Amino acid sequence: MKRFLINFCLATGAVGGFSCWGVTPEAFGPTPSENQQKWQDMETYAFIHYSLNTYTDQEWGYGDESPELFNPSDLDVKQWVKVCKDSGMKGIIFTAKHHCGFCMWPSVFTEYSVKNSPWKEGKGDVVRELADACREEGLKFAVYLSPWDRNHPEYGRDEYVTYFKNQLEELLTNYGDVFEVWFDGANGGDGWYGGANEIRKIDRTTYYKWPETYRMIRRIQPDCLIWNDGSDRGDLRWVGTEAGEVGATNWSLLNKDGEVDWGMLHFGLENGDSWVPGETNTSIRPGWFYHTTEDENVKSLSKLMDTYYKSVGRNSTLLLNFPIMPNGRIHPTDSVRGAAFAKMVKEVFKEDLAKKAKTDHPEINDGVRNTYWSPKDGATVGEVVLSFDEPVTFNRFVAEEYIPLGQRVKSWEIEAFCDGNWIPLKDALTEDGRLTTIGRKRIVCFPTVTADKVRFRVTDSKAVPLISGLSIYNAPELTADIPDSGEKKCSDLRIFYMSPKQMAIELGGEKTVSGIRYLPPTLSKEGTVTHYSVYATTDWNDWKKVASGEFSNIVNNPIWQTVKFDPVKASVLRIEADRLSEGEHMAYSDVEILYE
Ligand code: FUL
């Protein structure tokens, strides 16, 4: 074990970022803008998914759904804002326009909007109501505007890009401050497109003319952050999954140019030349839009806490989605779960036990973000010991880097001094327990220990590490966990392939069937069915087509897909893959049958 210099720190207590040695080090590598720092300080904010899909029980609308469908009986944006606030969310990003193209505000550039719906006799504006309600309650407001538009006749041509920019300008000009714009990367290709009903492929790197659009955003709302999925470098990046976790190693860096692969999204790029921090997005339910069938599948409190540790606790933010029900409100299960989550976060982090510790480096446990500890003489390794008069019991450790001068730490360790021995504390939420990056905030969870001393040790860093805070907490055990899913398997099903794109399910006798559920392969995207047809038979001879359609967003969010149809007598069902996301052979993780 290496021994380091004993550092005697000059506690400056000064503002503006001071090292314990009284010298302000130079920035190292890319650094965050002030906006990016403010954004990361929000930690948790909400997504709200609401559109015509809510009324068609879909995740992606095709673009031909009637605006007549939009007629909520009880739309109450104040309830949404209250739920989000009670869930600890600091802002809301709203789906002003999802892939179906329906605008939740009365855009002057299209007829496909709330203005042609029965709701408020076409005089309503959901974006306006929500933006106002957010402001009243002190939440920040932001918009999701889908670049892919399955309704617009000109999608794929230049005219559409002008339309898209006009809409963005409308949203950025008429609704007050917008803290983020979210440009979804999905582009499934096919759509209604004004009745053309065809597949339109675009080159995502050139079609939308992002540089021009970005310039416009900066001009109208200089404080607004640009999110995209990584292909056109904005200010924030997707983390490569909708499951609610970023890599345990998470650099807030990417390269300005060039391809961005999944690993770069999920872990950042250690030597990237630009500051592009990751935003972790996930839904409180399996889907992004509301489906009654998911009422039993709202994320449990322990799952939400796990998500928090794997996002906010890994140098990211958490963008947590609340879907709106057809009546225009958030479901009570979601709101109760959201409030329990906020309460638990508060409970876990209510008392920083590190503040009681004695240390030679008081700037590390003073709770002040712009004072930081660093090893002497610019060393890239070093350690700090926190000593307690009375033994402390704890199971969470939080480290924070002073990111205004860049992200530096590459690996570190924590040890607890228990019964005369130093015991390493490993991250229980990773397989190898190793600690790598820190960034804005890194939370480490481990089984409860009682110790007299705690040692924090940086073992590798790109440049002298600047640690603005170490804290220690004792989280309550989560005993009353609610299971995530009420899925039950049907044991008497016999499933086999009739051909690479046809799967037969024998039901074990003649039954009245009203639907199927399909869980795609989860380890690889290969064989995932994106477009399906379902047939039923009682004699293996006479097959009746009972359903067909699209499993939208199944690639990014590989969750259970439910297909319902009019009850039919069958002894065998056949699922055909009309289209696969990748590969030539359809695959599944599980299949269920819904009976009458
Ligand atoms: C995805 C979209 O395709 C989903 O529908 C949802 O909006 C999610 C947040 O992003 O890429």
Side-chain angles (χ1 to χ4, degrees):
M1 195 185 297
K2 264 193 196 161
R3 281 256 142 234
F4 294 98
L5 296 168
I6 301 165
N7 297 338
F8 295 101
C9 247
L10 315 165
T12 64
V15 287
F18 265 85
S19 94
C20 54
W21 305 107
V23 186
T24 305
E26 306 253 302
F28 184 86
T31 54
S33 68
E34 232 178 276
N35 268 340
Q36 285 168 319
Q37 290 181 53
K38 276 196 225 144
W39 159 85
Q40 194 148 9
D41 289 346
M42 288 170 75
E43 297 200 341
T44 52
Y45 44 97
F47 232 160
I48 284 192
H49 273 66
Y50 186 35
S51 185
L52 289 181
N53 300 355
T54 311
Y55 298 92
T56 53
D57 212 6
Q58 284 172 309
E59 280 288 296
W60 286 358
Y62 193 64
D64 60 349
E65 297 79 12
S66 166
E68 292 287 323
L69 293 170
F70 192 78
N71 195 14
S73 54
D74 199 13
L75 195 150
D76 184 359
V77 292
K78 290 205 157 71
Q79 189 245 359
W80 310 356
V81 170
K82 183 170 182 338
V83 169
C84 292
K85 229 179 146 176
D86 290 351
S87 304
M89 305 290 129
K90 304 292 184 316
I92 295 180
I93 305 183
F94 181 57
T95 52
K97 181 184 85 166
H98 203 253
H99 309 326
C100 68
F102 183 73
C103 298
M104 301 297 274
W105 81 103
S107 171
V108 299
F109 301 105
T110 180
E111 293 305 304
Y112 199 49
S113 83
V114 282
K115 76 181 169 204
N116 283 313
S117 78
W119 178 62
K120 298 200 166 171
E121 294 171 346
K123 304 271 179 302
D125 182 342
V126 189
V127 176
R128 164 89 52 229
E129 289 193 12
L130 183 57
D132 289 351
C134 281
R135 244 183 308 276
E136 266 165 41
E137 288 301 320
L139 292 192
K140 293 190 177 183
F141 177 70
V143 290
Y144 168 118
L145 187 71
S146 170
W148 183 31
D149 188 319
R150 298 173 110 179
N151 173 267
H152 204 278
E154 300 303 327
Y155 183 79
R157 296 188 270 269
D158 280 354
E159 288 81 346
Y160 171 76
V161 181
T162 308
Y163 167 80
F164 177 74
K165 259 183 78 189
N166 285 340
Q167 290 199 315
L168 185 59
E169 187 165 7
E170 229 177 6
L171 288 168
L172 293 177
T173 312
N174 300 335
Y175 296 92
D177 289 348
V178 170
F179 77 89
E180 184 173 332
V181 276
W182 225 86
F183 297 135
D184 201 305
N187 182 10
D190 60 340
W192 184 68
Y193 304 129
N197 282 310
E198 60 189 11
I199 296 181
R200 292 191 183 168
K201 293 248 187 274
I202 50 106
D203 177 351
R204 277 174 39 194
T205 54
T206 53
Y207 175 60
Y208 295 110
K209 302 194 183 121
W210 288 121
E212 250 176 65
T213 307
Y214 287 7
R215 271 196 295 278
M216 180 187 83
I217 300 167
R218 308 273 188 233
R219 178 173 49 80
I220 309 177
Q221 297 238 11
D223 289 345
C224 177
L225 291 165
I226 300 170
W227 181 98
N228 63 32
D229 66 349
S231 47
D232 297 277
R233 225 70 79 251
D235 305 309
L236 310 172
R237 67 170 211 271
W238 188 39
V239 298
T241 171
E242 296 179 353
E245 60 173 276
V246 67
T249 297
N250 179 18
W251 292 99
S252 290
L253 306 174
L254 278 186
N255 276 341
K256 200 163 143 282
D257 304 306
E259 287 289 301
V260 177
D261 62 25
W262 187 84
M264 295 177 196
L265 290 174
H266 201 60
F267 304 106
L269 187 62
E270 184 174 328
N271 294 313
D273 60 20
S274 309
W275 191 272
V276 190
E279 173 188 80
T280 307
N281 65 314
T282 196
S283 182
I284 195 159
R285 288 164 172 251
W288 293 97
F289 284 90
Y290 176 83
H291 311 287
T292 330
T293 45
E294 294 180 355
D295 283 353
E296 305 297 320
N297 304 135
V298 179
K299 283 197 168 101
S300 65
L301 179 56
S302 66
K303 178 69 189 169
L304 287 172
M305 289 307 295
D306 184 70
T307 304
Y308 180 84
Y309 293 130
K310 290 176 175 167
S311 54
V312 175
R314 288 181 176 178
N315 184 33
S316 180
T317 56
L318 170 59
L319 170 55
L320 181 65
N321 179 63
F322 291 85
I324 304 301
M325 293 190 288
N327 69 359
R329 297 171 66 87
I330 294 174
H331 192 280
T333 307
D334 307 32
S335 64
V336 167
R337 205 59 54 77
F341 167 59
K343 214 171 142 216
M344 186 52 84
V345 171
K346 236 180 163 171
E347 184 64 29
V348 171
F349 299 101
K350 77 169 184 256
E351 193 192 357
D352 177 5
L353 301 167
K355 287 205 168 136
K356 295 186 182 162
K358 290 204 191 86
T359 162
D360 292 334
H361 312 292
E363 63 293 327
I364 213 154
N365 62 342
D366 60 1
V368 180
R369 284 256 299 284
N370 52 11
T371 60
Y372 43 81
W373 165 82
S374 57
K376 206 180 173 189
D377 298 332
T380 52
V381 292
E383 65 178 45
V384 171
V385 175
L386 303 173
S387 314
F388 297 89
D389 288 339
E390 300 279 315
V392 282
T393 299
F394 61 100
N395 47 25
R396 303 286 181 270
F397 187 94
V398 180
E400 298 176 55
E401 257 183 280
Y402 186 71
I403 57 166
L405 294 178
Q407 189 183 353
R408 301 161 178 235
V409 175
K410 290 169 71 165
S411 71
W412 57 293
E413 290 168 357
I414 335 164
E415 290 159 304
F417 194 68
C418 313
D419 302 325
N421 297 310
W422 284 107
I423 300 171
L425 300 177
K426 304 261 179 210
D427 185 353
L429 302 186
T430 61
E431 260 169 37
D432 61 9
R434 279 184 349 103
L435 298 168
T436 53
T437 52
I438 296 180
R440 167 71 189 80
K441 186 184 264 190
R442 180 69 167 88
I443 307 174
V444 189
C445 304
F446 40 81
T448 306
V449 287
T450 300
D452 310 310
K453 287 189 254 183
V454 180
R455 185 154 66 192
F456 164 80
R457 191 206 302 268
V458 175
T459 51
D460 196 6
S461 183
K462 289 178 172 181
V464 59
L466 310 177
I467 308 298
S468 62
L470 296 183
S471 6
I472 290 172
Y473 301 92
N474 194 24
E477 303 288 341
L478 276 179
T479 43
D481 194 11
I482 300 129
D484 271 330
S485 113
E487 288 140 15
K488 283 181 202 67
K489 305 247 163 70
C490 285
S491 50
D492 51 354
L493 296 180
R494 208 168 74 85
I495 303 174
F496 54 93
Y497 291 105
M498 295 166 71
S499 76
K501 290 188 180 161
Q502 289 184 320
M503 207 165 86
I505 306 150
E506 281 190 326
L507 307 179
E510 198 170 299
K511 312 255 164 82
T512 305
V513 186
S514 58
I516 57 135
R517 301 187 79 214
Y518 166 73
L519 185 64
T522 41
L523 294 178
S524 132
K525 296 180 181 7
E526 180 111 8
T528 294
V529 180
T530 61
H531 294 73
Y532 63 87
S533 297
V534 183
Y535 298 82
T537 186
T538 49
D539 59 7
W540 275 101
N541 186 29
D542 191 13
W543 292 91
K544 182 177 175 222
K545 188 167 182 169
V546 289
S548 68
E550 165 186 73
F551 291 137
S552 34
N553 203 30
I554 192 168
V555 175
N556 282 339
N557 196 13
I559 56 173
W560 276 103
Q561 310 287 319
T562 305
V563 177
K564 289 193 180 155
F565 39 80
D566 290 339
V568 63
K569 284 229 174 314
S571 53
V572 186
L573 290 178
R574 189 174 88 222
I575 305 179
E576 278 194 22
D578 296 329
R579 235 185 275 171
L580 295 174
S581 72
E582 277 172 35
E584 290 305 315
H585 203 299
M586 71 189 287
Y588 69 99
S589 296
D590 205 353
V591 170
E592 292 181 359
I593 304 298
L594 305 176
Y595 298 100
E596 252 283 272

